[in-house]
Amino acid sequence: MDSLLELRDCTMQFGGLTALSKLSLQIGPRDLVGLIGPNGAGKTTVFNIITGIYKPTSGTIQFGGQSLVGRKASAIAARGVARTFQNIRLFASLSVYDNVRAAFTMHLKHGIAHALWRGGSFGREESEISDQVIDILKIFGLEDQRDVECKSLSYGDQRRLEIVRALATRPKLLLLDEPAAGMNPREKEELMELIQFVKEKYQIAVLLVEHDMKVVMGICMRVAVLDYGEKIAEGTPADIRKNPEVIEAYLGEEAKGPPPAPTL
Amino acid sequence: MNQFLQQLINGLSLGAIYALIALGYTMVYGVLRFINFAHGDVFMLGAYVGLYARRYLAGQTQAGPSLGLAVSVLLISMAVCAIVGMVIERLAYAPLRNRPRLTVLITAIGVSLFLEYGGQQFFGAGPHFFAPIIPSYKMHTGALSITSNELIVFSVTFVLLIALTFIVLKTKLGTAMRALSFNPTAASLMGINNSVVISFTFGLGSALAAAAGILWAVKYPAITPLVGLLPGIKAFVAAVLGGIGNIPGAALGGLILGVTETLVVGYSDLLHIPPSYKDAVAFVILIVILLFKPSGLLGKTTSEKV
Amino acid sequence: MRPKIYFLIGVLVSFLVWYFVPMDQYIREIVLTIGINIILAVSLNLVNGHTGQFSIGHAGFMAIGAYFSAWITTVGAPTWWPSLDLSGGLAGTLVFLGALLAGALLAALAGLLIGIPTLRLRGDYLAIATLGFGEIIRVVIQNTEVVGGSRGFSVAYGYATIFWTYLFAALTIYVVANLVNSAYGRGFLAVRDDEVAAESIGVNTTKYKVIAFVLAAFFAGIAGGLYSHFKQYLHPDRFNFITSIEVVVMVIVGGMGSTFGVIAAAIVLSLLPEALRFIPQFYQQIFGVSLPHLVDDLLKNRMMIYSLLLIILMLTRPQGIFGGISGRPAFLFKRKSVRADGLAS
């Protein structure tokens, strides 16, 4: 399988602190991979170097055959990498509708001149975008809240909106940073279904950082484990659960979680 | 060579005043991560309080300029302005402690304008004449001359810097100030009352600005309520130059700025820069620093964690 | 109704008012000042309000537009076309419009050159940098003998009429409002609310910031050109930090991000000095006695009132009077921690 995303020997140093050390990771175009590890292991840093917020001190990152290192974050997003954030980063003063609409700016066929002149093609594209926004909101059950200020949404809805906004950029790879944080068990069930639905419907790869073992073991095909910036194990959820190093570093009691879901 | 040394002395005395003001900016920034736009106007207030204090004291005692008069005026002005600084903080900035920096910045601009135009209202538009507080004489060493004005600037600044260093390094409040500048949450968990320390910082910075105001008025006796505008901005540049939040940096930045400005004017023929561009010197330095090393000469570059 | 129709109505009304409504000199001056302030406020709002970048050097761009256009009509054009009668008519109008455009383009270029390096800075640093550049522009103009320097500069013709001023005001409103209310324009608001998130959905934050800055500079240049051909006298002190702050106050009071709000604020704040002048008279008429001297004095101190307004507003309603209508600008309320997103994970 050709990998969609390939990190090779990526190291990230902040002054004297080494956050990531020679990390290699491969993600195929239809994979659902989980990234776990204790706090401080470097998981969000992995996201940050992939999405261009940091430039890795050394190593390569290839996406669809092209290097991502050194590119601006918006350029990387334009290539098809979308993400959500650990502390939800919605556009607080915008409505649900506008949060998603903002994600369409990337694929606009017209620019400033059209926005000012407002000719025929502008109108057509605007209503196309409008339709697409409504469609995607409908699919995820947010359509009836479209004009609500996103701050007023419930926590679970806000997380969902962030995922919807990321999907609106038509990505090939979706990075989810602790999407289950702060959710109750029912919401987590819904989240697991949501992620699997998204992966199937949009035919994308998903890389998931999570602390909740039930979620990770429940939906991931493969799991990579980080500790102190190094990958200490990678394999199926069942393998990981049995891996002594992983248990020692992290899992402990939670190793006795529920059995993994059948592979998709 | 002599001309250069003379210019250097002039520049250092100007720079010392900038340094005193810059220290206030940098301390407040260190503790609150906030640029107190109104700081330059506390400097102006210091000059005016000194002016009125002098009138009152000299009127009471019928005394002429003397060391005693100078010291009293300085102390009175510093005390009054320390209080004013703390009051401003309590009324205008403390309620906005949890708001984004932009909101507080706008408020600070408002306070600054209020002090300036309120000053025009209260003191009159000026200019007002600051009568001498020390007897004037000139010292000659070789071909160089140092006036009493410069002497008082150097000695007062020196004393205040020593005092400040002592306070910051050796006292509980000073150490608390430094702790706050590193990590406010940890500081309060260690039992530090952040509000008290912040007030103290404002008071300390304002006292220094007041001293700077008196020294300025000694050098340039015609003062107006808007006298704080330019020196205030330039002192801010000095603080950024040295590394905002860094106390020795502020002093260093002030001296460098004072010397540079004086040399640009002094050698304007040689440099082909008309002396009227002297005010632009500070801004050019600011732009260069912000573009190439925003953390300043002595500051550390901190990368933001996302 | 389509925005273009609003714009054309605006132009038509300006024309009709200019042509048919008689005005004495005093009223005319106030109306022209309001128009110019609307252009300044709406254009600055694009940067400060819609894109959330705090720029306090707007007067610098106004100065560039004012001085350059004035130089063209007063010094340049008579030199290049000495036989033309520039006092009015078609020739005069064309020269005026050309000069206006040239001034605005130069201001826009300055905006580009200044914006690209400084828009990398955040918050207070950006504010200080724009302040610095505004002052540098002023000092440079002060030292430019060709346009009079600190002696001032007299402008030959008063081309700025109510028609032209309000035509350009309508144009400014049209451009800014249309831009922001499109899918493309949501990008500006995204940059304002959360730059990191904006980048993550493909919004090139630097590009948006620079575009806003350059457009704002362009219209500030237009405002400057109109100003110079209205007052017919220029002095560098007229374009200092205080002038920039006056525009900033309009934007803040009106509500950052609300085009309607800043227009209203521009109108109210332009009328404020006149209104303040009338209060003592009203008081006298109603109560029969004149105001205490102190109060009367205070009312004349417009900047002091502005400053109190700013402070009180920030403490009580930082989103301005109208800022709550089209979405409360969260960037004035929510404390975004510098250590943004999740820490080490």
Side-chain angles (χ1 to χ4, degrees), chain A residues 131-148:
Chain A
D131 290 339
Q132 286 172 350
V133 171
I134 304 280
D135 279 345
I136 198 172
L137 285 177
K138 270 196 193 137
I139 293 172
F140 290 90
L142 288 169
E143 201 254 334
D144 49 347
Q145 297 189 78
R146 47 183 277 205
D147 290 320
V148 171

Side-chain angles (χ1 to χ4, degrees), chain B residues 14-154:
Chain B
L14 179 65
I17 297 180
Y18 286 153
L20 287 175
I21 308 175
L23 284 166
Y25 276 119
T26 229
M27 288 194 293
V28 165
Y29 189 87
V31 153
L32 276 181
R33 296 285 179 272
F34 151 64
I35 299 174
N36 182 6
F37 237 94
H39 190 58
D41 301 293
V42 176
F43 157 86
M44 175 269 294
L45 272 182
Y48 270 94
V49 171
L51 185 146
Y52 286 110
R54 190 218 183 277
R55 269 192 211 160
Y56 179 76
L57 283 177
Q60 294 287 20
T61 63
Q62 299 300 324
S66 73
L67 191 61
L69 181 65
V71 171
S72 322
V73 165
L74 257 172
L75 288 178
I76 292 176
S77 178
M78 284 171 71
V80 170
C81 287
I83 296 175
V84 169
M86 293 196 276
V87 165
I88 291 177
E89 191 270 327
R90 207 103 298 257
L91 285 182
Y93 303 148
L96 299 175
R97 198 73 61 77
N98 289 320
R99 299 278 199 80
R101 295 204 306 257
L102 186 61
T103 314
V104 201
L105 184 68
I106 297 172
T107 310
I109 294 178
V111 172
S112 167
L113 290 172
F114 181 71
L115 289 174
E116 282 156 19
Y117 290 90
Q120 277 195 336
Q121 197 65 41
F122 197 65
F123 304 130
H128 301 98
F129 182 67
F130 190 89
I133 51 174
I134 46 159
S136 72
Y137 59 87
K138 245 186 194 180
M139 229 171 71
H140 293 276
T141 54
L144 295 175
S145 65
I146 303 184
T147 65
S148 48
N149 287 348
E150 271 137 18
L151 278 176
I152 193 176
V153 168
F154 288 136

Side-chain angles (χ1 to χ4, degrees), chain B:
Chain B
M1 184 52 170
N2 274 324
Q3 204 217 354
F4 177 73
L5 283 178
Q6 189 66 56
Q7 296 284 21
L8 201 61
I9 293 176
N10 294 343
L12 284 173
S13 79
L14 179 65
I17 297 180
Y18 286 153
L20 287 175
I21 308 175
L23 284 166
Y25 276 119
T26 229
M27 288 194 293
V28 165
Y29 189 87
V31 153
L32 276 181
R33 296 285 179 272
F34 151 64
I35 299 174
N36 182 6
F37 237 94
H39 190 58
D41 301 293
V42 176
F43 157 86
M44 175 269 294
L45 272 182
Y48 270 94
V49 171
L51 185 146
Y52 286 110
R54 190 218 183 277
R55 269 192 211 160
Y56 179 76
L57 283 177
Q60 294 287 20
T61 63
Q62 299 300 324
S66 73
L67 191 61
L69 181 65
V71 171
S72 322
V73 165
L74 257 172
L75 288 178
I76 292 176
S77 178
M78 284 171 71
V80 170
C81 287
I83 296 175
V84 169
M86 293 196 276
V87 165
I88 291 177
E89 191 270 327
R90 207 103 298 257
L91 285 182
Y93 303 148
L96 299 175
R97 198 73 61 77
N98 289 320
R99 299 278 199 80
R101 295 204 306 257
L102 186 61
T103 314
V104 201
L105 184 68
I106 297 172
T107 310
I109 294 178
V111 172
S112 167
L113 290 172
F114 181 71
L115 289 174
E116 282 156 19
Y117 290 90
Q120 277 195 336
Q121 197 65 41
F122 197 65
F123 304 130
H128 301 98
F129 182 67
F130 190 89
I133 51 174
I134 46 159
S136 72
Y137 59 87
K138 245 186 194 180
M139 229 171 71
H140 293 276
T141 54
L144 295 175
S145 65
I146 303 184
T147 65
S148 48
N149 287 348
E150 271 137 18
L151 278 176
I152 193 176
V153 168
F154 288 136
S155 43
V156 169
T157 307
F158 186 70
V159 167
L160 287 177
L161 281 179
I162 304 268
L164 182 69
T165 313
F166 177 76
I167 292 178
V168 169
L169 290 179
K170 297 280 183 206
T171 65
K172 257 174 84 173
L173 269 174
T175 314
M177 230 173 77
R178 281 183 293 140
L180 251 182
S181 76
F182 284 118
N183 192 329
T185 322
S188 71
L189 288 174
M190 291 283 112
I192 293 177
N193 185 333
N194 286 7
S195 293
V196 167
V197 176
I198 291 173
S199 286
F200 174 73
T201 311
F202 267 87
L204 193 56
S206 302
L208 292 173
I214 304 277
L215 294 175
W216 179 277
V218 163
K219 266 175 80 96
Y220 311 108
I223 58 174
T224 76
L226 297 181
V227 74
L229 263 178
L230 267 181
I233 295 194
K234 289 180 187 174
F236 171 72
V237 175
V240 174
L241 174 64
I244 190 104
N246 184 310
I247 290 180
L252 181 67
L255 292 174
I256 293 179
L257 182 62
V259 169
T260 312
E261 205 179 288
T262 311
L263 288 179
V264 163
V265 174
Y267 288 101
S268 71
D269 298 324
L270 213 62
L271 296 168
H272 296 290
I273 302 177
S276 48
Y277 272 101
K278 92 166 141 84
D279 291 337
V281 168
F283 294 115
V284 170
I285 292 180
L286 175 71
I287 305 293
V288 167
I289 281 282
L290 285 181
L291 292 183
F292 295 109
K293 198 172 194 309
S295 51
L297 292 173
L298 298 183
K300 294 187 297 269
T301 356
T302 41
S303 41
E304 234 176 279
K305 289 196 82 180
V306 175

Side-chain angles (χ1 to χ4, degrees), chain A residues 38-45 53 72-75 77-78 81-83 85-94 98-99 101-103 105-106 108 110-112 115-119 122 126 129 149 151 165-166 169 177-178 209 211, chain C residues 2-4 174-208 211 215 324 326-331 334 336 339-345:
Chain A
N39 260 325
K43 308 193 290 293
T44 296
T45 311
I53 292 174
K72 259 186 92 99
S74 47
V81 179
R83 77 173 284 182
F85 296 89
Q86 212 176 337
N87 307 337
I88 303 176
R89 284 179 170 260
L90 290 173
F91 300 124
S93 67
L94 297 183
D98 271 336
N99 262 277
R101 184 155 78 128
T105 59
M106 189 165 59
L108 284 176
H110 65 261
I112 304 181
L116 295 179
W117 178 248
R118 306 222 153 187
F122 171 83
E126 289 284 309
I129 290 176
E149 221 175 73
K151 285 178 304 197
R165 184 183 66 184
T169 63
D177 200 343
E178 297 198 28
V209 163
H211 277 294
Chain C
R2 311 253 320 272
K4 265 191 281 216
Y174 175 76
V175 166
V176 171
N178 265 0
L179 189 60
V180 171
N181 287 321
S182 62
Y184 181 88
R186 299 289 99 177
F188 293 109
L189 305 178
V191 168
R192 174 187 76 185
D193 280 353
D194 195 319
E195 282 188 44
V196 173
E199 286 271 332
S200 79
I201 57 168
V203 169
N204 185 335
T205 53
T206 306
K207 197 171 89 164
Y208 271 86
I211 287 175
L215 265 179
S326 49
R328 210 153 82 135
F331 73 117
K334 194 169 65 109
K336 274 200 294 257
R339 308 182 168 285
D341 207 54
L343 296 176
S345 188

